[in-house]
Amino acid sequence: MSTSFDTAGIDAALADLTQGEKTWAATDLRRRRELLDELHAITAREAQAWVDAARVIKKLDADSPLLGEEWMSGPMTMLAGAQALSESLSALEQGRSPLDGIALGSAPGGRVSVPALPHGVYDKLLLSGFSADVWLKPGVDAGTARRKAGLAQLDPAATGGVGAVLGAGNIMSIAPLDTLYELYANNRVVALKLNPITDPLLPVFQTIFAPFIALGLVRILTGGAAEGGYLVNHPQVAHVHMTGGAPTHDAIVWGTGEEGAQRRAAGTPALAKPITSELGGVAPVIVVPGEWSAADLKFQAEHVATMRLHNGGYNCVAAQTVVLAADWPLKQQFLTELRAAIDAAPTRTAYYPGSDNRVAGALESYPGTARANGRVLVENLPTTGTPLLRTEYFSPVLGVVELPGTGTEFLGNAVDFANDELMGTLGANLIADPATIKELGGALDTAIANLRYGTVALNSWTGLAFLTPRASWGAYPGHTLDDIQSGVGVVHNAFLLDDVERTVVRGPFRPAPRSILGGEFATTPKPPWFVSNKTGTGTGRKLTEFYGDGKIRRLPGIFASALRG
């Protein structure tokens, strides 16, 4: 086989991992938990170095308010994930289920729900008013859920070979968290190949995973598509997991060009091993009409702008289509606030490769829709047959669709539109004021159940599920290799639950103190992940420090910073 790169390094790494699998099989639950605790401690020490490297990758100024995104979606999320997994391992080590002591709930359709947020008193303090529940597939009862929680760690000696993880290039905690999920949920040792964008983080990741690397359980590789192709097709690799876009997935599974098309038509994949994936899509924001104040309109416009512009728009679950009621009396006022929020969001460099071309493609399809700072807002979109509904732009491009009806009629129309017209099933967002929620009653619960998405968020952004370690993260189940949509399988899921269907997130419609004045028991001010939050960087750093050492004395500083946001 002729290659333009050195295959020896990959071969050596996989040989090491093949031996390391024997070590992993012989490693008991106590030592597995200790490895997580060691990783947690190192991550806390390396958090600043992590954010410094991410700042270079994303071309952010040292004093940018957007660095809060890197603290929260980087080391903070990694710290939370490692600690939550450690707690599950501790339960298993003692012969208990990770769900012991957890009061399971119910969801529409006879489903069992597992509370992922809040988990403990600090969640209740730091994210007051927010919740997340993992819904299991219909037919799974509570006893089965408890018995199967733990996944591969229920039989740690039964390892699953070498897993190849193709890391993402957008959110810096994705690759290391996916590595932990392979190790613990699937009991596979891991060859992690970084996306070339994230190569500056290689020294940080090598340091964080040093305890695993020393035992031959993890190897971290670099390189581009050629190295990735060689890795995933290597005979010593038993399974592939990737995060990215559907075109990349299809190129890996079927091949490219005419040969790839022929393989796909014949149903004969080029990849001769199983693959799981977390891919993107066209995420909707369904805005349920109601009687909103001027402050409500402004806050929720900033909320929607955040769903699109967080991380520059380079998120798999970034909102791309806003669904409005055509006859909502406040529609034009909301759109005015949305335009203002998009234009006022901090400027940033388009760091992700191909972004400028994707924006240019959107402007070619929708001329005259450019806004400030390289952003695109397409209003009055057709409800079918238009590129924005079927193309994940992965850039600061947002569309607005208007549908008929009010109340339950609009909600039903919006759910059908999201399910039938939009590409992908990773996440869907709904926004509704408390009075409207009360008026809709069970119809809102039905709408949430009918949305075929891996995460559904009401008055929150689905991105919160990504930050919540015990929540599941992935597409709605049922996709196939020849129609992959947003992928197959889940990650994060620190309870190690089997039979996961989705995560449902809920948050307050208003920030404190307006939330309390409006009858919502929630004391959270403007969330620190909002692109309009003035103290997001300071709050994100303080939260990361707290997740690193758990010192109660840090809480007043977190609250003070958050309130100034």
Side-chain angles (χ1 to χ4, degrees):
M1 178 179 180
S2 176
T3 61
S4 59
F5 59 92
D6 179 18
T7 62
I10 298 175
D11 291 342
L14 294 175
D16 291 346
L17 290 167
T18 300
Q19 291 301 310
E21 183 189 4
K22 299 174 184 176
T23 302
W24 192 229
T27 303
D28 62 19
L29 289 170
R30 177 181 177 180
R31 181 60 185 140
R32 291 177 181 221
R33 174 183 53 78
E34 291 172 345
L35 286 166
L36 285 167
D37 296 341
E38 291 170 23
L39 177 143
H40 183 277
I42 298 170
T43 301
R45 294 197 298 268
E46 293 294 314
Q48 183 67 61
W50 180 323
V51 173
D52 289 344
R55 181 177 69 80
V56 171
I57 293 167
K58 300 190 178 181
K59 303 177 182 178
L60 294 170
D61 294 334
D63 60 351
S64 171
L66 297 173
L67 281 176
E69 297 178 354
E70 301 312 313
W71 283 104
M72 287 180 281
S73 66
M76 188 196 84
T77 301
M78 185 68 171
L79 288 165
Q83 182 173 343
L85 268 178
S86 175
E87 290 178 11
S88 290
L89 265 288
S90 179
L92 293 166
E93 181 187 345
Q94 298 169 40
R96 300 184 292 109
S97 167
L99 293 181
D100 279 2
I102 304 297
L104 305 186
S106 60
R111 295 171 174 88
V112 167
S113 65
V114 180
L117 180 76
H119 184 84
V121 65
Y122 296 128
D123 281 350
K124 294 176 183 178
L125 289 171
L126 296 171
L127 286 166
S128 171
F130 288 89
S131 67
D133 296 278
V134 180
W135 290 12
L136 304 184
K137 295 175 181 177
V140 178
D141 60 36
T144 300
R146 293 185 190 277
R147 186 175 65 255
K148 296 174 73 173
L151 295 176
Q153 296 308 303
L154 295 171
D155 186 5
T159 51
V162 178
V165 172
L166 302 183
N170 57 334
I171 295 294
M172 301 298 109
S173 62
I174 292 176
L177 284 171
D178 289 352
T179 298
L180 289 184
Y181 201 71
E182 278 290 273
L183 281 161
Y184 286 90
N186 299 313
N187 221 16
R188 288 188 278 263
V189 294
V190 180
L192 166 62
K193 195 199 81 67
L194 298 180
N195 186 301
I197 298 171
T198 65
D199 281 354
L201 272 164
L202 175 63
V204 175
F205 290 162
Q206 286 176 324
T207 302
I208 288 171
F209 279 101
F212 294 87
I213 292 171
L215 294 174
L217 311 177
V218 171
R219 289 292 182 267
I220 305 177
L221 306 169
T222 59
E227 288 83 355
Y230 183 79
L231 173 66
V232 300
N233 288 291
H234 200 286
Q236 286 180 280
V237 169
H239 182 275
V240 176
H241 178 78
M242 65 157 291
T243 300
T248 301
H249 170 275
D250 290 347
I252 291 170
V253 171
W254 304 107
T256 58
E258 184 178 345
E259 182 179 351
Q262 291 173 350
R263 284 185 172 277
R264 187 166 185 160
T268 55
L271 185 71
K273 61 197 68 176
I275 180 171
T276 51
S277 51
E278 188 263 88
L279 313 175
V282 177
V285 186
I286 298 170
V287 180
V288 183
E291 296 183 10
W292 297 9
S293 68
D296 295 337
L297 291 164
K298 178 178 173 60
F299 176 77
Q300 291 300 343
E302 292 179 5
H303 195 182
V304 173
T306 293
M307 295 179 193
R308 176 69 265 182
L309 297 179
H310 180 279
N311 194 36
Y314 312 120
N315 288 334
C316 291
V317 78
Q320 189 168 300
T321 303
V322 182
V323 185
L324 297 180
D327 299 323
W328 184 28
L330 298 176
K331 178 187 67 178
Q332 289 303 329
Q333 290 172 257
F334 177 76
L335 287 172
T336 297
E337 292 289 356
L338 180 59
R339 296 181 203 112
I342 290 172
D343 293 346
T347 59
R348 62 183 303 158
T349 301
Y351 76 89
Y352 204 89
S355 176
D356 291 341
N357 291 337
R358 291 188 293 275
V359 169
L363 291 173
E364 183 177 349
S365 298
Y366 308 102
T369 60
R371 297 206 66 81
N373 305 316
R375 296 154 190 170
V376 177
L377 178 64
V378 186
E379 300 180 38
N380 297 309
L381 269 174
T383 57
T384 187
T386 189
L388 199 143
L389 308 183
R390 307 300 305 171
T391 303
E392 183 193 9
Y393 278 102
F394 212 67
S395 60
V397 176
L398 183 65
V400 179
V401 165
E402 298 181 16
L403 298 178
T406 58
T408 56
E409 180 188 4
F410 166 77
L411 192 55
N413 290 338
V415 169
D416 289 344
F417 169 80
N419 285 340
D420 299 338
E421 298 296 336
L422 302 183
M423 186 275 287
T425 66
L426 188 59
N429 311 273
L430 298 112
I431 298 173
D433 64 89
T436 301
I437 290 173
K438 184 177 181 180
E439 182 181 335
L440 289 169
L444 182 58
D445 294 330
T446 299
I448 291 172
N450 287 343
L451 280 164
R452 297 192 294 270
Y453 286 82
T455 298
V456 179
L458 172 64
N459 291 336
S460 178
W461 177 34
T462 47
L464 180 57
F466 178 91
L467 301 177
T468 300
R470 294 172 182 85
S472 60
W473 186 251
Y476 192 79
H479 299 315
T480 59
L481 289 181
D482 61 346
D483 184 21
I484 196 62
Q485 295 284 318
S486 290
V488 172
V490 300
V491 291
H492 301 190
N493 183 30
F495 278 133
L496 299 175
L497 303 172
D498 201 2
D499 302 312
V500 167
E501 183 186 70
R502 74 179 89 189
T503 288
V504 175
V505 179
R506 290 179 170 86
F509 177 72
R510 301 178 178 96
R514 290 195 305 113
S515 55
I516 298 170
L517 296 174
E520 297 178 284
F521 187 73
T523 59
T524 301
K526 180 186 290 185
W529 56 83
F530 268 44
V531 293
S532 57
N533 192 300
K534 298 175 183 177
T535 61
T537 293
T539 304
R541 177 176 56 79
K542 292 176 185 296
L543 283 167
T544 302
E545 291 168 348
F546 176 74
Y547 278 90
D549 60 24
K551 292 180 178 177
I552 297 175
R553 62 176 173 80
R554 297 192 184 277
L555 293 177
I558 295 172
F559 296 142
S561 180
L563 286 169
R564 294 194 303 270

